[in-house]
Amino acid sequence: MAASTEPRAGNSARWPRLCVLVGTIVVAFALLLGTGTAGAVVANVSQCVAAIAAAVACLHRARRLTGRMRWGWALIGLGVLSWGLGQAVACWYSLVGREVPLPSEADLGYLGIVVLTPIGLLVLPSRAQTLAGRVRSVLDGLMVAASLVLMAWIFVVTPLLEGGKAGLALYLSLAYPLGDVVIVTMVLYMLAQQRRTGRGFNNLALVGIGIVAFAASDIAYAYLQLLGAYRSGSATDIGWFTGFCLILLAALMPARPVEQDEQDSGQPVGVLLPYVAVLAALFTSVVWYATTGHSNLFVAYTRSALILLIVGRQLLTLRENRNLTRTLEARVAARTAELFASEQRFHALVQHSSDVVTVVSPEADVLYQSESVQRVFGYPARALNGKRLTKLLDPESGIRLAQALRQVAGRPYATTVLEITVPHRDKRLRQAEMTITNLLSDPSVAGLVLNTRDISERKELQDQLVHEAYHDALTQLANRALFRERVGEALRTKPADGEVTVLFLDLDGFKEVNDSLGHLAGDQLLVQVADRLRSSVRDGDVVARFGGDEFAVLIESERGARDAEQVARRIIEVLETPFASDTRNIHVQASIGLAAAGMLADGETDGAEQLMRNADLAMYKAKSAGGSVHASYDPEMLSDLVARLELEADLRLALERGQLHLHYQPTIDLTTSEVVGFEALARWQHPTRGLIPPAEFIPIAEATGLIVPLGRWVLREACSQAVEWSAAGGRPVKMAVNVSVRQFDRADLVEVVAGILAETGMPADQLCLEMTESVLMTDTDDNLEQLLRLKALGVTLAIDDFGTGYSSLAYLRRFPVDTLKIDRSFVERLGALTDDTALADTIVQLGKSLGMACVAEGIEEFGQLAALREMGCHFAQGYYFSRPVPATEAGRLFLEGAEAVAR
């Protein structure tokens, strides 16, 4: 079928008014002709105008359509236009006062509608049909056509033939009614193929009614021509005028969208139409034969043809009925097989399902039991049929099941789910989940359906997961989450005279065990520690492991009792005994912090968390005391922690806000008494707390890692200042900068130093990097590589506070150190005959023997200076010469020399 787009021919709101207007015009025209008021000229012109208007409407509709629909309406419009042109010729005859002869030039236009309109109707799209449907439609069309031809022959053709006309006039007189018969037959045929609610049905119906009115006028015209009584402007012209007005309305009718369910509803109107036409034709022929008394060969042949068409139509119908019967039988058989397969599938699913399906009465009597009950719970199905299910369960489960059955019994299709205990046939108790559905109102079930599933393994898995979620996997002690819950519960249920105490325990030396013996030995040690903790606490105390080597104990006691301290002492005592391992005995100690609920501040929102935090703080207090002791929480611990955290937060912003600056302490050459260099020391001028000593913020920077950006800033500032002083004084200045262990842990230390030297223009040999002995003791190989790379840059390396750590001659020979700085603890008692004098002299002589320079720190008196000069020490620092001073004052000292230093 060709695609088409059906537009709206006009506004739907204006369509009723248009119908009323056209109807009024038709009635007025009929009154004028019926009363003889209008003459032939008015009648002919009115018909001409009506025909041309209808043609224009058809062509306009065709222009807005596509495909076969456009061509069909265009041909209908051209046929109507052809008739209008023929009528224009008739108007010319009327204007000159002449009757239109037969035949005449007007007949050429009149015949156009007979030729073009049927073609247009054939072009219009129709519904797709099967071969049998197309054959049936053809037979129906032939039956309608033969019936109409038979009636036209009786009423029109026979009178014309008997009237004595001959030649072209006869043929024209026959062409008009027979053409109308063909057009009406085609319209009826097409209407028969459409459903009454189908798109285009109303338009085509109006066209068909118009052609019928047209045919009535053509028949009347032929009859009056036979009698010689036809005159233009008579009542005969009403049919033509009405027909064109109906075609005009068909072309202007607005389209109505048709929903799919409308299109599929109803029955074809063409089922009875052929039979009605045949009955009308046969009735007409019988009446004609009864009135005339003689027969006619054409009538007889046509009636025979109609009989043959009816027989063929019935044979086709019989064949279609047989095919329909076979199709229905096949569909019934397929549906029956599908239902049987579905029933078998349902039966198999029920019998082999992991769910046990049971149908019971409201009183819990078993009406149906699936075979799967034997596989799941061990009972044969036949042993349960007719039994009361509640009596087969334990009393508690039976009561709960009876309550659930009563709950859903009064509500059709209601469901509920419950968990009950079901005894297995082997006496094991199984946990089951039961879904109860009320199908009492369903006649195929008529009971309460119980779908029961064994969830024992799922419950065991849930219990296992809960245990794993709240217990430590290594020691099987409670973990932090469970311990926190138990502490919170203990605080909520604590009596007025009771006390809740948390012990927080951390092993001393556990990291060394892991590093030396491996993590497997560390895990074995943790398991043994857990066992000893269990044996040290009382029944009811909760022991937990938080992770690593951290443990906790929850103790509930009476207020004023010393139970928590006693448990802490027992733990320390049992941990004193060495732990056995595969290779050797392991000694570890414990630092324990105690926090009691009575020390909690009023208004604490999370007492459990605060209590655990307090115990943690107390533990750090115990660890700072040397370990293997216990300490109780004091509120000052929290205030110290808060102050430390505030100081840490301020320190993070100090560099950005320019609160840090450098002081410089001069280094004196003891031979020449000249200032040869400085040591750069960081100072922090806090906006509210004033000058903060390095002893307070440097450890925080070390602990938090802020020492890395701080050290980078100190190095850059010190190098820039040294370059500035060297340029002003005309001689080089040695600048010493401290480097922390954290900076040595960074792989980019050498690149940072090289970059700052290049950025500031500082000669590498004028930079001295000072480090503590801990740098030589940790990550020895990695730090040795770092030191060798720094030495390759040309910088000087010094060991600060030498003699206070664990350095040995082996390390001094291995590491590329240039300078030893004697700690002030060896300098402060020089000048008297003490061990410190001997140690200081030993360090100086050791440095000389290894080719290293020595710098004495902390000189405050002349006697100390004299002793160091006598030993042969090279350089010195101390308050005797100068305190650390800001950059401006340090520059003056460097430029003015030793005299300024002495002053």
Side-chain angles (χ1 to χ4, degrees), residues 66-89:
T66 59
R68 292 175 56 181
M69 189 69 75
R70 165 181 285 185
W71 287 106
W73 279 99
L75 289 171
I76 293 173
L78 291 176
V80 175
L81 180 62
S82 175
W83 196 95
L85 295 176
Q87 186 63 21
V89 175

Side-chain angles (χ1 to χ4, degrees), residues 467-488:
H467 182 273
E468 292 177 356
Y470 284 99
H471 290 80
D472 176 56
L474 178 63
T475 63
Q476 298 305 308
L477 296 176
N479 61 10
R480 186 183 187 92
L482 179 58
F483 188 81
R484 185 181 181 281
E485 287 187 6
R486 294 293 176 84
V487 173

